[in-house]
Amino acid sequence: MRVNSGSLLMLSLLNRSARAAFTFSSSSSSSKWAVIGDVSRSTNRVVSSHVGDGRLFKVKERLCRWNRPLSMSAVAVEEETAMELPTNENDENLLKIRHTSAHVMAMAVQQVFKEAQVTIGPWIDNGFYYDFYFPETTRVDEETGEEIVVSARKLTDADLKKVKKAMDKIISKNYPILREEISREEAKKRIIEINEPFKLEILDSIKTEPITVYHIGDQWWDLCAGPHVESTGQLPKKGIQLQNVAGAYWRGDENREMLQRIYATAWNSPVELKAYKKRMEEAKKRDHRVLGKKLDLFSIQEDAGGGLV
């Protein structure tokens, strides 16, 4: 049996079993042709299947030909890899989740590390980040009674785990997210009271009034224009993941303070987070820098000079 040009290919992975079913149906007739192939559980590869016709079809955004055996490494891809993920532009709730998550993370950081000062924390394409300043601190030596200067904290992966744990507790508390409008003078007074010098600079850069403030219950607040979810309980704990720490100068000025930026990704659900992580893993595998070395397409010659391969 042959399939005409109106044929469609549908792939069904049946509960991660070791079988895969391919159904070819014609738009101009009711005829169908099903081919069953064995699937390797560990490699997601169909061992045997063959269709003919010579035309092209598109599966999971990859192009294959009908006149040769199907390469199931190109077809039997995890469903989450092909999932169309929402964006800040087409999913307002996702944008709110990311924005509120940034506030919750800042609150958590200041709970875990009392000396931390907050700066800015916007949403970005795949999540959010927040910049923190960690000043030098002092402690009293128990033996001598002398005051000792302690170097500024450098955040580690272990610290991120502590912060995420604190975030989960804040989410579980289901604090309401409250919007408040205040005068510039009142905002300045409150910022001075909590000793947040970077916030004073941010306040100076805001040209409109009244000044809007968002509160996490009565526990924490930040200068912010919104939008946010209605309560911390609306954030999906397992849809948020802290990723890494990077350095950033305040206001992008190398003559100013060096901040520590925590990057994170956030999604509507754990399913979306899993799909995003899978997509990043697949993209990493296809990184030309990785493939080039693996396939010996190029090598780095140390004696050739910087930037030369």
Side-chain angles (χ1 to χ4, degrees):
M1 181 182 294
R2 299 178 67 81
V3 184
N4 66 23
S5 59
S7 298
L8 301 173
L9 173 65
M10 295 181 290
L11 169 63
S12 174
L13 292 176
L14 305 177
N15 298 322
R16 298 182 180 272
S17 67
R19 305 286 289 174
F22 301 86
T23 303
F24 299 83
S25 62
S26 170
S27 61
S28 60
S29 70
S30 60
S31 62
K32 293 185 177 181
W33 180 20
V35 179
I36 304 297
D38 292 328
V39 181
S40 164
R41 195 177 186 87
S42 61
T43 63
N44 282 332
R45 179 169 300 187
V46 168
V47 177
S48 63
S49 62
H50 187 282
V51 293
D53 196 315
R55 283 190 291 274
L56 297 174
F57 61 86
K58 193 177 182 185
V59 182
K60 300 287 186 184
E61 300 182 351
R62 301 192 184 189
L63 214 55
C64 307
R65 289 190 177 274
W66 286 7
N67 62 355
R68 66 186 180 196
L70 294 174
S71 169
M72 295 323 300
S73 61
V75 178
V77 181
E78 294 280 350
E79 282 189 7
E80 58 264 23
T81 306
M83 178 187 292
E84 183 176 350
L85 292 171
T87 66
N88 295 328
E89 288 71 30
N90 64 25
D91 190 331
E92 184 179 0
N93 188 64
L94 176 62
L95 186 149
K96 290 179 179 180
I97 285 173
R98 289 171 172 172
H99 199 178
T100 305
S101 295
H103 279 217
V104 169
M105 182 177 74
M107 176 178 168
V109 167
Q110 292 194 306
Q111 283 184 346
V112 178
F113 308 112
K114 304 300 183 183
E115 76 276 19
Q117 296 177 359
V118 294
T119 61
I120 59 171
W123 67 80
I124 53 179
D125 285 348
N126 296 315
F128 61 92
Y129 71 79
Y130 213 111
D131 289 345
F132 301 91
Y133 177 66
F134 289 88
E136 290 183 342
T137 57
T138 60
R139 67 179 179 83
V140 176
D141 187 286
E142 294 181 357
E143 294 182 359
T144 65
E146 295 180 353
E147 192 172 72
I148 300 174
V149 175
V150 180
S151 299
R153 181 182 301 277
K154 301 296 182 184
L155 292 172
T156 65
D157 289 342
D159 291 332
L160 294 189
K161 291 179 181 178
K162 294 177 184 177
V163 172
K164 182 58 168 66
K165 186 175 181 180
M167 288 178 67
D168 289 346
K169 289 181 179 179
I170 295 169
I171 293 171
S172 294
K173 294 281 188 180
N174 197 26
Y175 291 117
I177 306 297
L178 305 173
R179 183 178 186 273
E180 181 186 16
E181 293 183 353
I182 58 178
S183 67
R184 185 174 298 274
E185 292 72 23
E186 177 63 20
K188 184 175 182 179
K189 175 186 173 184
R190 293 186 189 182
I191 292 171
I192 292 173
E193 285 176 353
I194 60 175
N195 188 30
E196 293 281 9
F198 296 98
K199 288 297 180 185
L200 282 177
E201 291 189 44
I202 294 173
L203 178 62
D204 289 340
S205 69
I206 299 174
K207 304 305 180 184
T208 58
E209 292 193 43
I211 305 300
T212 57
V213 171
Y214 275 85
H215 298 260
I216 298 179
D218 60 355
Q219 303 295 306
W220 191 88
W221 63 271
D222 198 3
L223 299 173
C224 186
H228 289 279
V229 298
E230 294 180 356
S231 69
T232 60
Q234 293 180 355
L235 299 179
K237 292 180 187 177
K238 295 184 179 180
I240 303 169
Q241 179 176 314
L242 307 191
Q243 296 174 299
N244 62 281
V245 179
Y249 288 111
W250 172 236
R251 298 297 198 190
D253 185 346
E254 64 180 5
N255 296 312
R256 293 297 305 273
E257 295 86 347
M258 171 59 75
L259 310 176
Q260 294 187 64
R261 175 174 297 176
I262 300 179
Y263 281 102
T265 188
W267 300 89
N268 289 301
S269 67
V271 173
E272 288 182 1
L273 174 59
K274 184 178 179 182
Y276 169 74
K277 290 168 65 177
K278 183 68 176 180
R279 184 171 296 180
M280 292 301 100
E281 290 171 6
E282 292 294 324
K284 189 175 181 180
K285 292 177 185 177
R286 295 176 181 80
D287 189 322
H288 70 278
R289 293 165 296 184
V290 175
L291 290 176
K293 291 181 179 180
K294 186 178 294 185
L295 300 175
D296 198 26
L297 298 178
F298 61 79
S299 61
I300 305 298
Q301 303 297 324
E302 299 296 340
D303 296 333
L308 299 178
V309 295

